[in-house]
Amino acid sequence: MRFTYAEAMTDPSYYVPLAQAAEAAGYSSITVADSIAYPEESDSTYPYTPDGNREFLEDKPFVEAFVLSAAILAATTTLRVTPFVVKLPIRPPVLVAKQAASLAALSGNRFGFGVGISPWPDDFEIMGVPFAGRGARMDECVDIVRGLCAGGYFEFHGEYYDLPPIKITPVPTEPLPILIGGHSEPALRRAARRGDGWMHAGGDPAELDRLLARLDTLRTEYDTRKDFEIHVISLDGFTVDGVKRLEDKGVTDVIVGFRNPYTTEHDTESLDTKISNLSRFAERVIAATNG
């Protein structure tokens, strides 16, 4: 089992030392959150809070995902960086492919590209991208990023994007893992059909079992029974026995964090406290699981 340390909306100066501490403690990866901007007025809701409230995001610091990924990768040697998740269809896919390929190439293939669809029309509006057709646009973006990151000339002719034969250099020496986030049926289908893995955003344990079963069915349907990463947030991830249960369900990566980010209060935990929390978990669970 691999373990990913999750931290977001904290003091930006903490990320590099936290990544270095996580690497030293035995974590395999760290997540990077994505947010472009916060609208002054919006009727959008957040899908992963009980009441849909998104006000906890206001005035919280988000370093741009690719910039933060580069800083962490430059400061570590073995730690993987996994955006959780980059809102892909609001961005130009050729530029995204260039960014992702550059990060993976410079870091020795330590960039796992977590992507998803933003649930908010606001994100599409401020980026000048239509909200309608976002699912099909997302599919085309995934195909373009994968095709360009593979190296050589690549062309694409779809409903939303039309590319002549082009190539980017450098590209990673191994295929870029594209991990699809989301709990909806379209997201699960996208992960099974186009992804190298799936990223779970937490919730009820019974719902996780349903999602995993559905994902397994879809992977059989699409005949994509290849190596597949399953990244999960679960209370089971905090005990050795629980990790074994997740492993038995096919989970490959457990995502753990040590505070609730869904609060309107700003994070006041010290860097030392955060490092102590991640280190204590590593000693108690990671070492016992993988030792």
Side-chain angles (χ1 to χ4, degrees):
M1 181 67 75
R2 296 183 300 243
F3 293 86
T4 297
Y5 173 60
E7 183 61 87
M9 293 174 278
T10 192
D11 185 328
S13 69
Y14 286 2
Y15 286 109
V16 166
L18 284 172
Q20 292 170 329
E23 180 177 61
Y27 293 80
S28 61
S29 181
I30 186 171
T31 61
V32 168
D34 180 37
S35 179
I36 297 294
Y38 188 86
E40 183 176 11
E41 295 182 6
S42 174
D43 57 4
S44 298
T45 59
Y46 189 71
Y48 302 115
T49 53
D51 60 359
N53 190 290
R54 59 179 279 180
E55 292 178 5
F56 69 92
L57 293 167
E58 187 172 10
D59 294 325
K60 298 295 177 61
F62 283 88
V63 181
E64 198 282 322
F66 289 104
V67 172
L68 182 54
S69 295
I72 292 173
L73 289 167
T76 54
T77 57
T78 62
L79 194 71
R80 187 186 193 191
V81 173
T82 311
F84 185 36
V85 288
V86 163
K87 299 169 182 177
L88 182 55
I90 67 172
R91 291 170 161 88
V94 175
L95 177 59
V96 169
K98 183 67 176 179
Q99 292 169 310
S102 297
L103 286 173
L106 283 172
S107 66
N109 307 301
R110 290 189 289 124
F111 186 65
F113 194 26
V115 298
I117 294 181
S118 172
W120 300 320
D122 315 74
D123 282 333
F124 288 82
E125 181 180 356
I126 62 178
M127 295 299 288
V129 178
F131 189 62
R134 58 196 177 280
R137 185 183 297 274
M138 171 74 169
D139 290 342
E140 292 191 14
C141 287
V142 170
D143 291 346
I144 290 169
V145 171
R146 186 184 303 284
L148 287 172
C149 288
Y153 285 101
F154 172 79
E155 63 181 291
F156 186 86
H157 307 287
E159 180 181 357
Y160 297 99
Y161 303 98
D162 192 84
L163 304 177
I166 58 173
K167 65 179 174 181
I168 59 176
T169 307
V171 295
T173 58
E174 298 175 3
L176 177 74
I178 299 179
L179 315 172
I180 310 294
H183 294 186
S184 68
E185 175 70 10
L188 295 175
R189 285 189 173 275
R190 186 171 295 114
R193 186 174 187 178
R194 285 182 160 82
D196 301 296
W198 173 67
M199 302 192 78
H200 167 250
D204 184 88
E207 177 67 2
L208 172 59
D209 289 344
R210 184 194 71 79
L211 293 169
L212 290 174
R214 182 58 180 154
L215 189 61
D216 191 67
T217 298
L218 291 169
R219 290 176 62 205
T220 300
E221 177 183 327
Y222 290 120
D223 193 24
T224 54
R225 309 300 305 191
K226 58 182 180 180
D227 289 342
F228 194 82
E229 300 181 22
I230 297 179
H231 296 235
V232 162
I233 298 174
S234 169
L235 288 176
D236 269 345
F238 290 86
T239 66
V240 175
D241 289 343
V243 169
K244 180 63 168 63
R245 286 192 292 271
L246 292 174
E247 202 166 30
D248 290 343
K249 295 175 183 180
V251 173
T252 61
D253 296 75
V254 172
I255 302 170
V256 293
F258 306 105
R259 69 178 181 89
N260 176 22
Y262 301 125
T263 175
T264 55
E265 290 78 21
H266 281 258
D267 180 18
T268 58
E269 267 186 354
S270 70
L271 177 60
D272 287 343
T273 297
K274 291 180 184 297
I275 291 176
S276 176
N277 288 339
L278 72 85
S279 299
R280 188 163 51 248
F281 174 84
E283 294 167 1
R284 189 181 74 249
V285 178
I286 297 179
T289 301
N290 296 335

